[in-house]
Amino acid sequence: VLRMVANVIAGDWTPELHRRFVRAAEQLGVDKAIPSKILEMMGVRHLTRHNIASHLQVSGLHLTHLHNISRYLQFVAQAYL
């Protein structure tokens, strides 16, 4: 994990850390995915709120897009029930 954190400090998120980030953000929901809560849910020592905030800004558009797709799929599924 320390190696993964060292990559984050250098500006490179490993696929595993990004998966943890996305999982935490999805569990919280796009509207409630704030850096401190994401950091808490990820449970990775040595990451900082600043690391999470920076990644949230970079990934924000992607997460919003995933949220919109999820909402659309739920709508479609309900329409056919």
Side-chain angles (χ1 to χ4, degrees):
V1 173
L2 283 177
R3 190 176 200 188
M4 290 190 295
V5 173
N7 288 343
V8 169
I9 293 168
D12 298 324
W13 280 62
T14 65
E16 173 60 24
L17 276 179
H18 182 71
R19 273 191 292 277
R20 288 183 184 198
F21 171 84
V22 170
R23 192 175 314 126
E26 287 176 344
Q27 287 177 347
L28 288 166
V30 174
D31 298 337
K32 296 179 184 170
I34 61 173
S36 58
K37 294 290 186 187
I38 293 171
L39 179 61
E40 182 180 322
M41 289 190 73
M42 285 180 69
V44 177
R45 289 178 23 175
H46 306 294
L47 276 182
T48 66
R49 187 201 158 285
H50 178 75
N51 297 137
I52 302 297
S54 295
H55 197 63
L56 188 59
Q57 281 186 325
V58 170
S59 300
L61 291 176
H62 177 70
L63 291 174
T64 301
H65 178 70
L66 290 177
H67 177 69
N68 289 338
I69 289 172
S70 175
R71 287 178 55 201
Y72 172 74
L73 292 175
Q74 289 173 356
F75 172 76
V76 170
Q78 288 176 353
Y80 288 99
L81 292 177

